[in-house]
Amino acid sequence: MSRTVYVNGDYLPEADAKVSIFDRGFLMADGVYEVTSVLDGKLIDFEGHAVRLARSLAELEMASPIGDDDLAGMFRELVRLNRIEQGMIYLQITRGNPGDRSFVFPDASVPSTIVAFTQDVPNLAEPPVAKVGFKVITIPDLRWDRVDIKTTQLLYPSMGKMLARKAGCDDSWFVADGAVTEGTSNNAYIVKGNRIITRQLGSDILHGITRAAVLRFAAEAQFEVEERAFTVAEAQAADEAFSTAASIFVMPVVEIDGKTVGTGKPGPVAVRLREIYLEEMRKTAI
Ligand code: PDD
């Protein structure tokens, strides 16, 4: 079934949705994005995504083309029009179409481009892989130094995903200076006893919206939370490992570079945090 998508204020059949070849998102990856999950036809953690979107835009000196209330309304309209029960909404805002290619930013009179579309994922909350967990490989983190800005420069993460696929795995974790930064499109964690360890916030990881909620729920559930760098060897020797993102919620990680983590099955902490996350976030979905 053809989707109805959103382009610069209009709701259109996907085949009719067009963006210029001069758009800076297309030519320069000069754009930011957000992925918001949908459960029971409702938006999960909309506010978190709206706040991070505003920060990404501000860091790139890009004006926001839409207010939070209108953004929420637009997301909900896309969910309604496309009858999404479980899935995701992809939003992208670029610096727009200056009518030619130039390294210089266009002046502020050039309107930004805003597009959004839904992705229908009927088993988003219960994908089969969550029962067995991810196998990951580690690769050098060759991204730029501002991955805290959620830009559309996703070539290297995409290559990381393909390297994982070629190795018969599900994802890659990036490593910088001997320590894990994050996954291709998720934040990375290990568990030792009652302690959950994940890299501290900085410009070298995306400040995950799922991460913030999961750490809050973990603390409420009496887990200790330690925000610090960890090595691949430490991760391989941990009791458990997991990744978080709006697209996977809390995903157990059972193998790292061919080494089994813990029992090789999704660990109780990751499974519990996944349950808590889904339960709590469903309560506050809008
Ligand atoms: N990715 N780290 C990176 C590099 C990411 O791309 C993402 C999200 C995360 C987790 O952020 P959040 O919890 O806010 O989803 C961490 C999205 C889902 C994507 O690119 O599809």
Side-chain angles (χ1 to χ4, degrees):
M1 200 188 77
S2 168
R3 275 174 286 195
T4 300
V5 304
Y6 177 90
V7 185
N8 297 327
D10 294 323
Y11 296 90
L12 301 167
E14 61 184 42
D16 299 339
K18 303 264 182 340
V19 173
S20 167
I21 62 160
F22 299 121
D23 195 279
R24 287 186 57 91
F26 179 61
L27 294 179
M28 303 275 178
D30 187 358
V32 301
Y33 77 105
E34 282 296 330
V35 174
T36 305
S37 50
V38 176
L39 292 176
D40 314 323
K42 292 181 175 172
L43 312 176
I44 299 297
D45 215 338
F46 172 79
E47 197 191 334
H49 290 284
V51 168
R52 186 174 60 191
L53 174 69
R55 179 179 180 276
S56 293
L57 289 167
E59 290 294 321
L60 297 178
E61 296 175 24
M62 230 186 264
S64 175
I66 190 164
D68 288 359
D69 289 347
D70 287 343
L71 186 64
M74 182 260 274
F75 278 10
R76 287 156 79 156
E77 183 64 0
L78 283 177
V79 167
R80 189 185 71 79
L81 290 169
N82 294 289
R83 298 189 181 87
I84 304 296
E85 272 301 304
Q86 290 193 36
M88 290 175 288
I89 302 173
Y90 177 84
L91 167 78
Q92 179 169 330
I93 297 174
T94 79
R95 209 181 300 272
N97 164 24
D100 202 351
R101 178 177 184 265
S102 167
F103 282 83
V104 177
F105 286 0
D107 66 54
S109 63
V110 172
S112 37
T113 300
I114 172 165
V115 306
F117 55 82
T118 52
Q119 293 183 290
D120 192 19
V121 188
N123 65 359
L124 187 70
E126 284 97 26
V129 68
K131 294 257 181 282
V132 289
F134 267 9
K135 294 178 179 172
V136 305
I137 58 169
T138 63
I139 60 172
D141 194 341
L142 301 183
R143 301 172 301 164
W144 75 327
D145 282 341
R146 288 306 309 275
V147 296
D148 57 312
I149 309 172
K150 199 162 173 58
T151 75
T152 56
Q153 303 176 63
L154 295 178
L155 179 56
Y156 189 65
S158 205
M159 289 167 73
K161 200 76 179 172
M162 293 314 296
L163 285 171
R165 284 280 163 89
K166 282 179 196 151
C169 292
D170 303 286
D171 199 20
S172 292
W173 276 9
F174 297 133
V175 176
D177 299 325
V180 173
T181 50
E182 60 183 335
T184 56
S185 50
N186 47 69
N187 292 114
Y189 307 72
I190 58 174
V191 180
K192 286 181 178 184
N194 193 44
R195 180 171 302 188
I196 292 161
I197 302 163
T198 192
R199 193 181 181 91
Q200 69 282 0
L201 295 180
S203 61
D204 48 11
I205 64 168
L206 186 75
H207 302 189
I209 302 307
T210 319
R211 177 187 183 280
V214 165
L215 292 187
R216 193 172 70 241
F217 297 142
E220 283 168 14
Q222 309 301 322
F223 290 104
E224 285 172 55
V225 173
E226 197 179 348
E227 295 181 62
R228 65 159 172 87
F230 58 85
T231 65
V232 176
E234 201 180 355
Q236 288 170 324
D239 298 333
E240 295 183 33
F242 62 92
S243 289
T244 68
S247 50
I248 53 172
F249 306 126
V250 179
M251 181 61 66
V253 169
V254 297
E255 189 185 294
I256 302 172
D257 287 338
K259 282 213 167 151
T260 299
V261 179
T263 62
K265 297 219 169 76
V269 175
V271 169
R272 180 85 193 105
L273 286 175
R274 184 180 175 89
E275 281 168 8
I276 297 175
Y277 179 83
L278 288 171
E279 194 182 314
E280 292 299 318
M281 297 316 286
R282 279 183 148 123
K283 286 186 198 160
T284 55
I286 62 165

